[in-house]
Amino acid sequence: MSSVSKAAIAEALSEARERTLALIEPLDDEQLNTVYSPILSPLAWDLGHIANFEELWLVQTIGGREPLHGELGRFYDAIENPRRIRDELPILRDEELRSYMADVRERTLDVLEGMDIGADVEDPLLREGFVYEMLLAHELQHNETMLQLLQLVDGYELPTAVASELNASKSAAQNATVPVKMVTVEAGEHQIGAGGRGFAYDNERPLHGVELTAFEIDRYPVTNGAYLTYMNDAGAEAPLYWERDGDLWVDTARGRRTPIDPFDPVLHASWEQADGFARWAGKRLPTEHEWEAARPRLDGVGYGWEWTSSDFLAYPGFEAFPYREYSEVFFGDEYKVLRGGSWATHPRVARSSFRNWDLPRRNQIFSTIRCARDA
Ligand SMILES: [Fe+2]
């Protein structure tokens, strides 16, 4: 992004907000306050957190203004307040929540008016609109977490725009009739990470060369049919939301009972399931470096986040920015990296260098499997 206009930022902020509100449009206040899963926040917390994060960065930090609700911000701190306790916090709800979101947005646009966000601005938060890009990405990423929770709401219908994103990414990832199943990537040095310009998170930087030996990687993600064969053969567990119905398997997300389509890519597999499948198939999961090096030659990216064998670690020369809690505190061998993006990921977030991470046993995430092997 070489030049960014304030009008474009205001427009993108309002589009992101429309998407957020469209997701909750069919729900009532009681549903927004319901805890559907111990590993996911009630939607009211997500909404307040989206607005509070916006107030913290776009109103208080860069605008120098006082918070609208005093100490409220501490209940929306994701690190201080683990998901299992979020329902007990004195967070905003119902009408108060809706007006807080609107009030913050009004102040945000007011502050934006007076900001200089050119390429030569000294403050790295403002230069080329970094902090605004960060906030947009934050809201859109929370849309995906909200969609994870919405899978647990019986009878929930996706907004039309989101439903068409789902269908488009699903058909792009189907591989039923493709004869070439793996692509080869030659040995050599590959550039990994995000370059100096344009928006990226701290964990994607710096851009650095990595030496890779030759490998092969699946051209398409693993199908439900292949995963079913693995289950029958190895006694492996079904992905999340799958339920047996006589001879059939059905998908029970959003309270439906849709027969599993053997040609669709598998969704909601944990890292443990993905790793197990890859071994059973005589392959392995790709490292995140391999995934990124192969990205320009891969089809079907974007229906499900693709598990890699890599732990979530800092790149050499990593510097935390703009705050340690975004990525640095998660580095280590506890989390595995996922790459690509899912049907629920906004295109603004799904760049090739983007690193997602989750625990190996988790499968609420819209995750799929793609295998690799040494060439
Ligand atoms: Fe957040």
Side-chain angles (χ1 to χ4, degrees):
M1 179 179 54
S2 52
S3 67
V4 58
S5 79
K6 291 195 218 180
I9 285 173
E11 170 89 20
L13 284 170
S14 111
E15 277 173 20
R17 183 54 49 86
E18 272 172 37
R19 195 165 184 267
T20 303
L21 296 177
L23 289 179
I24 56 156
E25 209 267 326
L27 305 181
D28 57 29
D29 285 336
E30 194 190 320
Q31 287 173 306
L32 294 183
N33 290 322
T34 300
V35 178
Y36 287 91
S37 156
I39 61 162
L40 291 165
S41 321
L43 290 166
W45 189 91
D46 277 275
L47 296 168
H49 166 82
I50 287 170
N52 186 256
F53 196 69
E54 174 175 335
E55 186 185 26
L56 176 65
W57 289 96
L58 301 188
V59 180
Q60 297 171 240
T61 306
I62 64 167
R65 302 202 189 173
E66 290 300 310
L68 280 165
H69 286 276
E71 293 285 276
L72 179 74
R74 65 194 179 91
F75 303 119
Y76 291 116
D77 184 312
I79 305 276
E80 293 299 314
N81 305 286
R83 291 193 170 107
R84 61 176 191 283
I85 67 150
R86 286 178 189 170
D87 183 49
E88 297 147 27
L89 300 169
I91 56 170
L92 298 178
R93 296 176 193 272
D94 314 336
E95 198 40 50
E96 227 185 347
L97 170 59
R98 290 168 203 275
S99 39
Y100 176 61
M101 294 176 80
D103 291 347
V104 169
R105 180 50 56 88
E106 198 184 313
R107 290 177 156 221
T108 291
L109 296 176
D110 197 43
V111 170
L112 173 63
E113 232 8 53
M115 285 293 148
D116 185 357
I117 54 166
D120 48 3
V121 174
E122 207 170 322
D123 183 349
L125 272 183
L126 290 174
R127 195 184 308 139
E128 294 188 308
F130 177 91
V131 75
Y132 290 97
E133 292 289 342
M134 181 177 88
L135 261 289
L136 275 165
H138 182 256
E139 180 154 353
L140 295 171
Q141 285 171 247
H142 270 277
N143 285 176
E144 181 158 352
T145 323
M146 291 165 67
L147 278 162
Q148 289 173 17
L149 179 129
L150 289 165
Q151 303 309 305
L152 300 167
V153 179
D154 284 359
Y156 178 77
E157 296 276 354
L158 294 171
T160 321
V162 177
S164 60
E165 287 163 25
L166 166 62
N167 291 331
S169 61
K170 187 189 280 186
S171 54
Q174 283 183 333
N175 67 359
T177 56
V178 178
V180 182
K181 292 285 189 191
M182 293 188 95
V183 287
T184 306
V185 178
E186 300 302 331
E189 191 183 84
H190 294 268
Q191 292 300 307
I192 301 297
R197 292 187 71 111
F199 177 79
Y201 285 114
D202 56 2
N203 65 57
E204 299 166 61
R205 297 201 151 110
L207 185 70
H208 61 291
V210 172
E211 203 64 50
L212 297 177
T213 55
F215 64 96
E216 292 178 300
I217 189 163
D218 287 352
R219 187 168 163 193
Y220 285 92
V222 168
T223 58
N224 286 329
Y227 195 88
L228 267 169
T229 311
Y230 164 56
M231 282 164 57
N232 293 334
D233 192 54
E237 267 190 45
L240 186 63
Y241 302 123
W242 286 30
E243 221 176 88
R244 246 213 127 91
D245 194 343
D247 290 343
L248 280 178
W249 283 92
V250 292
D251 174 2
T252 64
R254 287 177 264 140
R256 300 155 308 161
R257 298 189 73 78
T258 319
I260 297 290
D261 184 332
F263 298 118
D264 283 350
V266 68
L267 212 56
H268 291 296
S270 67
W271 182 89
E272 286 158 2
Q273 290 169 320
D275 182 61
F277 176 90
R279 287 168 197 273
W280 170 82
K283 300 178 185 175
R284 59 175 172 78
L285 294 179
T287 66
E288 64 166 323
H289 295 150
E290 287 173 337
W291 190 94
E292 194 170 326
R295 170 68 184 92
R297 308 171 61 180
L298 293 183
D299 289 306
V301 173
Y303 180 59
W305 288 97
E306 301 180 17
W307 286 109
T308 73
S309 61
S310 302
D311 295 336
F312 186 50
L313 298 173
Y315 287 164
F318 167 85
E319 283 177 50
F321 179 78
Y323 60 109
R324 279 191 69 239
E325 287 73 20
Y326 183 74
S327 9
E328 195 177 358
V329 296
F330 298 99
F331 288 149
D333 57 10
E334 215 186 334
Y335 294 93
K336 293 292 183 188
V337 174
L338 301 104
R339 293 299 202 104
S342 80
W343 64 267
T345 314
H346 193 274
R348 206 176 183 102
V349 176
R351 55 186 171 274
S352 294
S353 59
F354 189 96
R355 306 169 76 197
N356 197 353
W357 65 92
D358 213 330
L359 297 168
R361 63 175 179 278
R362 286 286 162 81
N363 54 8
Q364 88 293 348
I365 192 166
F366 301 105
S367 51
T368 191
I369 311 170
R370 190 191 297 266
C371 303
R373 66 183 171 209
D374 298 349

